[in-house]
């Protein structure tokens, strides 16, 4: 379960302060020392941890809290609010184009879950938003990727646009958008090529695809289990191609949660969805408030 370790640590720490009728500055200090340690153990970015601890501490030793009837509860409420703020505050919705088709580009490194997420997202768009998505196989370097997307399309009974692996991704994207217009499909989701590492050529290709028609969303798919590496990848992709949001996959297997807690603060880009399993219905919108509640129990 996601955040297991962090939740356990923080809940333990919080128990100590919860019922206190009086909370001293020293109590807050001690608690924050434990919170700090718990966050670092959860693999949260160090700078993010420092800022978080400073913000909570400053608010928690304020006179309103100290003089309130339930200071322990107040401190916990502050931790909860700041955790939520750290993850972006509110849930960030998908930006649809008022003039269809909406174009969503999926980018990310190989193995992050890009192709799977492309299918899951299309499924969400159809089921929850009543849209007609078109899946576009633009990863021409990994032959299996095209077939993987076609299999997913069959499984979901959704159309997949592909021109094999001899045509350039830019041309595939261009024709796919035209095809969507003709067929009245209102969302085009482009599964772009992934690499093992970020390289110039890949970034240029993504920029070229961007150049056809400004996408409404560029979603970076990153593997939650890679922790701070995921945060670095997000930062690099954002600088190189520009992203509008993040899909954090494999949160179901991430007991630490460092990426979920750091990505927003480091990149200023919202986490829009989280992958919670391999199945096609295992994609959920990311709710900072619910996540924060889950961590604090
Ligand atoms: P790509 O190279 O980025 O296109 O990655 P794939 O879509 O092929 O996914 C790589 C592996 O990760 C596959 O085995 C997926 O089933 C798995 N995967 C993707 N998303 C999730 C997720 O949210 N949870 C779990 N447990 N596995 C996932």
């Amino acid at each position: 379960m996601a955040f297991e370790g962090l939740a356990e640590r923080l809940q333990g720490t919080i128990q100590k302060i919860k019922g206190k009728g009086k909370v001293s500055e020293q109590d807050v200090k001690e608690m924050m020392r434990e919170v700090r340690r718990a966050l670092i153990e959860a693999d949260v970015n160090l700078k993010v941890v420092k800022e978080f601890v400073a913000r909570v501490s400053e608010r928690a030793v304020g006179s309103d809290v100290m003089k309130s009837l339930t200071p322990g509860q107040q401190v916990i409420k502050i931790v909860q609010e700041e955790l939520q703020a750290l993850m972006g505050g509110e849930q960030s919705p998908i930006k649809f184009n008022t003039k269809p088709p909406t174009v969503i580009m999926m980018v990310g490194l190989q193995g992050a879950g890009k192709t799977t997420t492309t299918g899951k997202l299309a499924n969400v768009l159809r089921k929850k938003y009543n849209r007609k998505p078109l899946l576009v196989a633009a990863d021409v370097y990994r032959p299996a990727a095209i077939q993987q997307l076609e299999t997913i399309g069959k499984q979901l009974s959704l159309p997949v646009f592909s021109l094999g692996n001899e045509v350039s991704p830019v041309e595939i994207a261009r024709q796919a958008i035209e095809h969507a217009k003709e067929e009245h499909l209102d969302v085009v989701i482009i599964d772009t090529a992934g690499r093992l590492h970020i390289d110039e050529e890949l970034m240029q290709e993504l920029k070229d695809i961007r150049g056809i028609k400004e996408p409404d969303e560029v979603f970076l798919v990153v593997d939650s289990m890679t922790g701070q590496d995921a945060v670095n990848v997000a930062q690099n992709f954002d600088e190189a191609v520009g992203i509008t949001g993040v899909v954090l996959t494999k949160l179901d297997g991430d007991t630490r949660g460092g990426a979920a807690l750091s990505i927003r603060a480091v990149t200023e880009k919202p986490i829009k969805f989280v992958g919670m399993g391999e199945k096609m219905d295992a994609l959920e919108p990311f709710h900072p408030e619910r996540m924060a509640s889950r961590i604090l129990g």
Side-chain angles (χ1 to χ4, degrees):
M1 199 56 207
F3 295 120
E4 208 173 78
L6 181 63
E8 199 176 308
R9 290 288 302 262
L10 285 189
Q11 284 166 25
T13 307
I14 272 166
Q15 277 308 323
K16 293 185 203 159
I17 209 164
K18 203 169 187 176
K20 285 203 171 186
K22 236 184 181 168
V23 175
S24 67
E25 233 178 286
Q26 191 57 32
D27 290 334
V28 171
K29 234 188 196 157
E30 266 166 37
M31 175 186 167
M32 290 319 291
R33 202 175 300 135
E34 285 182 45
V35 168
R36 183 173 185 279
R37 219 173 289 145
L39 290 172
I40 289 172
E41 256 177 45
D43 194 27
V44 178
N45 175 286
L46 210 55
K47 187 162 167 272
V48 172
V49 174
K50 278 189 187 152
E51 285 166 6
F52 177 82
V53 167
R55 258 197 319 274
V56 174
S57 303
E58 192 186 328
R59 286 184 62 192
V61 298
S63 58
D64 293 353
V65 174
M66 297 297 184
K67 283 189 200 134
S68 76
L69 286 173
T70 52
Q73 308 267 14
Q74 297 294 326
V75 173
I76 293 163
K77 190 162 161 262
I78 291 168
V79 174
Q80 159 117 20
E81 285 171 5
E82 292 295 339
L83 271 181
Q84 184 184 337
L86 196 61
M87 290 184 281
E90 301 300 321
Q91 201 254 319
S92 177
I94 299 178
K95 201 174 136 231
F96 289 104
N97 201 320
T98 47
K99 204 166 159 271
T102 293
V103 176
I104 303 177
M105 253 176 93
M106 308 295 284
V107 302
L109 295 182
Q110 226 172 69
K114 195 161 32 59
T115 304
T116 311
T117 304
T118 301
K120 287 178 181 175
L121 181 62
N123 199 24
V124 167
L125 286 167
R126 177 177 56 184
K127 276 193 175 160
K128 304 225 167 94
Y129 295 86
N130 220 4
R131 305 271 165 165
K132 289 193 216 122
L134 175 66
L135 303 172
V136 183
D139 181 354
V140 296
Y141 308 105
R142 186 166 69 95
I146 297 177
Q147 205 175 1
Q148 190 184 344
L149 198 65
E150 278 171 350
T151 306
I152 287 172
K154 269 207 196 96
Q155 192 187 331
L156 295 171
S157 304
L158 285 172
V160 175
F161 187 90
S162 120
L163 295 173
N165 56 5
E166 305 270 301
V167 181
S168 79
V170 176
E171 190 52 32
I172 295 172
R174 192 197 319 274
Q175 290 195 31
I177 293 169
E178 282 314 307
H179 178 77
K181 281 183 193 160
E182 284 161 16
E183 300 289 320
H184 303 289
L185 300 168
D186 51 14
V187 188
V188 176
I189 313 176
I190 307 171
D191 184 23
T192 65
R195 300 277 161 94
L196 290 175
H197 305 284
I198 289 169
D199 67 42
E200 265 306 305
E201 212 183 328
L202 173 65
M203 292 302 163
Q204 189 53 49
E205 179 178 303
L206 296 176
K207 279 189 240 178
D208 291 344
I209 297 176
R210 275 201 85 137
I212 306 168
K213 179 183 186 287
E214 186 55 26
D216 302 285
E217 297 276 18
V218 179
F219 286 163
L220 172 74
V221 179
V222 280
D223 178 344
S224 172
M225 297 212 277
T226 59
Q228 291 314 295
D229 271 348
V231 181
N232 294 335
V233 167
Q235 211 168 8
N236 289 334
F237 264 89
D238 193 31
E239 278 162 16
V241 262
I243 60 171
T244 60
V246 173
V247 180
L248 203 56
T249 60
K250 310 182 196 180
L251 197 66
D252 52 309
D254 180 15
T255 52
R256 304 212 286 171
L261 284 161
S262 316
I263 278 185
R264 172 62 194 241
V266 173
T267 65
E268 290 177 12
K269 293 294 167 10
I271 298 173
K272 299 240 181 181
F273 290 94
V274 287
M276 297 298 289
E278 296 194 76
K279 295 221 178 93
M280 277 300 129
D281 58 0
L283 187 74
E284 299 173 8
F286 182 72
H287 289 283
E289 189 183 351
R290 284 185 216 161
M291 281 291 168
S293 305
R294 186 143 104 193
I295 294 169
L296 293 183

